[in-house]
Amino acid sequence: MYAQLVKAEGMKSPEEMTPEERAFQERIDRGEKIEPKEWMPEGYRKTLIRQIGQHAHSEVVGQLPEGNWITRAPTLERKAILLAKVQDEAGHGLYLYSAAETLGVSRDELIELLHAGKMKYSSIFNYPTLNWADIGAVGWLVDGAAIMNQVQLQKTSYGPYSRAMIRICKEESFHQRQGYDILMKMCLQGTQAQKDMAQDALNRFWYPALMMFGPSDKDSIHSAQSMAWKIKINTNDELRQKFVDQTVPQAEYLGLKVPDENLKWNEEKGGYDFSEPDWSEFFEVIAGNGPCNTERLEARVNAWEDGAWFRDGLMAHAKKQDARRAAARLAAE
Amino acid sequence: MSSEWPLWEIFIRGQHGLNHRHVGSLHAPDADMAIRNARDVYTRRNEGVSIWVVKSNDITASAPSEKGPLFEPSNSKVYRHPTFFDIPAEVGHM
């Protein structure tokens, strides 16, 4: 998902736990929220920092593929809408960085880890947005998949993370709808060329969207611990299935064909059977070898470094103002 | 050498005259910028009519470990709730 392949600590049985750890687990099992500064196992804290940090980075890097089309949007209205959407993503990044900061890591530290290649962001943002239909597909599929993940995370055990998710979910459904709206226009009222564009976008984004949920957690020990701690509520496979079941009828409404020969309704399980994405491609993209990894990270690093003088300038001004106020107060006494 | 902007806690008063409510935090170099940033981050959809910003460092919080003793006094005083008292049905609404 926005936090794929988050490394978690190995899982302990109740007998191996210290009394503190056991009491902590019992609180989580009772559905209590864990709040900043309360005692928590080091592994819980570390896993959360990785997961929330990766999630925050994804929100911010996720602005880049869409930002590419702000100046190229077909109408002024589409441009204003896309701008608002991309601005939301910046806000979502901020809510999440703030949640991570309550765990004792600073935002600058997290940003530096991202820039040094020591933290990741979602694989999906390493794919290019080649035409306007891609912006529709990103909103519809990528935000759609993100919502699927984030809705369950509203119930996560860590209070600040849960609250950030609740806020984000409130704003996110606008994102998915604006994407679908772009595709409705192209597919239902557009020319053949526009329909072809939309189909092409679906062809390219379908499997990368399925990869967003991460590999099957059948073999993952990390998932088990994260689920026990309720920093992950559903398995990757459950979410992927739900996403496919929800999305296929939406594609049909648009008159688009999901690029999967094996896609078939399975009456017995009450869901679709579908092909797995190519996981070797996923691991390549995660390892830094996707189509746009270099470009994305470069854009982030440049924005950070080119903005340093400005951030420092504002800070210097604030300090000067503080000093001036302090001097004035002293003079008045 | 860059220094990180301080953290601010943001409180917003909603449309209906309720108290300012904590909505989250953000980094800003000073209070004025914190208010501007809070406007952009936390009131993009008419969420509020007034913003307070407070430096996170200036907030004193009760310690989570003292939660028990701190709140115990009210736990034992159930008679502070109206539901403690049984009022006969024939008395009517009270």
Side-chain angles (χ1 to χ4, degrees), chain A residues 70-87:
Chain A
I70 290 174
T71 54
R72 300 176 175 87
T75 67
L76 188 56
E77 187 187 52
R78 291 286 182 200
K79 179 176 175 157
I81 292 170
L82 184 58
L83 200 56
K85 196 233 178 216
V86 173
Q87 189 190 17

Side-chain angles (χ1 to χ4, degrees), chain A residues 89-245:
Chain A
E89 305 297 1
H92 296 178
L94 186 139
Y95 307 156
L96 287 159
Y97 282 125
S98 298
E101 281 179 297
T102 62
L103 293 158
V105 63
S106 80
R107 187 170 74 188
D108 283 10
E109 280 175 70
L110 290 172
I111 290 173
E112 276 156 23
L113 285 168
L114 172 71
H115 293 176
K118 289 176 185 160
M119 276 184 96
K120 299 192 186 310
Y121 54 89
S122 177
S123 58
I124 191 74
F125 301 119
N126 292 311
Y127 291 87
T129 43
L130 303 175
N131 64 49
W132 178 247
D134 285 14
I135 297 305
V138 165
W140 173 36
L141 299 173
V142 175
D143 288 275
I147 292 170
M148 200 117 282
N149 183 46
Q150 289 164 342
V151 162
Q152 47 122 17
L153 281 175
Q154 293 179 99
K155 288 180 283 188
T156 188
S157 62
Y158 189 55
Y161 193 25
S162 157
R163 291 190 283 274
M165 282 297 119
I166 290 169
R167 239 194 122 74
I168 288 175
C169 283
K170 262 192 210 155
E171 301 180 348
E172 197 91 56
S173 65
F174 142 59
H175 297 178
Q176 192 185 12
R177 284 176 176 219
Q178 67 86 33
Y180 198 69
D181 188 61
I182 289 173
L183 291 176
M184 283 205 299
K185 190 88 182 174
M186 294 181 85
C187 293
L188 305 180
Q189 298 169 39
T191 62
Q192 189 56 45
Q194 286 170 318
K195 288 175 197 168
D196 293 345
M197 249 184 182
Q199 181 64 54
D200 175 55
L202 176 59
N203 292 349
R204 280 180 291 109
F205 276 98
W206 175 254
Y207 286 106
L210 294 188
M211 289 178 204
M212 287 176 69
F213 299 96
S216 170
D217 12 29
K218 284 193 287 278
D219 350 275
S220 169
I221 46 160
H222 303 319
S223 286
Q225 177 60 81
S226 289
M227 290 182 87
W229 278 333
K230 292 191 190 160
I231 52 189
K232 188 174 173 166
I233 310 287
N234 291 111
T235 68
N236 297 348
D237 293 325
E238 283 167 358
L239 291 171
R240 191 170 11 253
Q241 180 71 51
K242 226 171 142 187
F243 174 74
V244 171
D245 293 345

Side-chain angles (χ1 to χ4, degrees), chain A residues 202-319:
Chain A
L202 176 59
N203 292 349
R204 280 180 291 109
F205 276 98
W206 175 254
Y207 286 106
L210 294 188
M211 289 178 204
M212 287 176 69
F213 299 96
S216 170
D217 12 29
K218 284 193 287 278
D219 350 275
S220 169
I221 46 160
H222 303 319
S223 286
Q225 177 60 81
S226 289
M227 290 182 87
W229 278 333
K230 292 191 190 160
I231 52 189
K232 188 174 173 166
I233 310 287
N234 291 111
T235 68
N236 297 348
D237 293 325
E238 283 167 358
L239 291 171
R240 191 170 11 253
Q241 180 71 51
K242 226 171 142 187
F243 174 74
V244 171
D245 293 345
Q246 179 192 285
T247 308
V248 170
Q250 297 169 351
E252 282 165 1
Y253 182 82
L254 295 173
L256 297 178
K257 190 177 176 309
V258 172
D260 181 358
E261 292 307 321
N262 299 320
L263 186 80
K264 221 178 99 210
W265 178 256
N266 180 333
E267 192 62 51
E268 205 174 311
K269 77 171 176 186
Y272 287 91
D273 290 330
F274 57 94
S275 305
E276 291 273 307
D278 174 3
W279 291 113
S280 62
E281 176 183 321
F282 169 78
F283 286 110
E284 276 296 305
V285 175
I286 284 279
N289 305 318
C292 300
N293 294 59
T294 316
E295 189 186 330
R296 299 288 184 244
L297 205 56
E298 225 169 60
R300 287 307 314 144
V301 172
N302 288 345
W304 184 245
E305 288 178 356
D306 294 349
W309 68 272
F310 182 72
R311 294 193 302 275
D312 290 348
L314 287 181
M315 199 64 228
H317 174 74
K319 278 186 181 148

Side-chain angles (χ1 to χ4, degrees), chain B residues 8-39:
Chain B
W8 301 77
E9 299 302 324
I10 312 302
F11 300 80
I12 308 270
R13 186 203 297 284
Q15 303 284 350
H16 307 291
L18 297 175
N19 292 329
H20 283 78
R21 223 180 117 212
H22 183 245
V23 291
S25 51
L26 52 77
H27 289 274
D30 57 34
D32 291 341
M33 286 300 293
I35 287 183
R36 281 164 189 264
N37 291 351
R39 196 267 320 253

Side-chain angles (χ1 to χ4, degrees), chain B residues 29 41 45 48 59 88 90:
Chain B
V41 177
R45 291 176 175 83
I59 289 183
E90 48 270 44

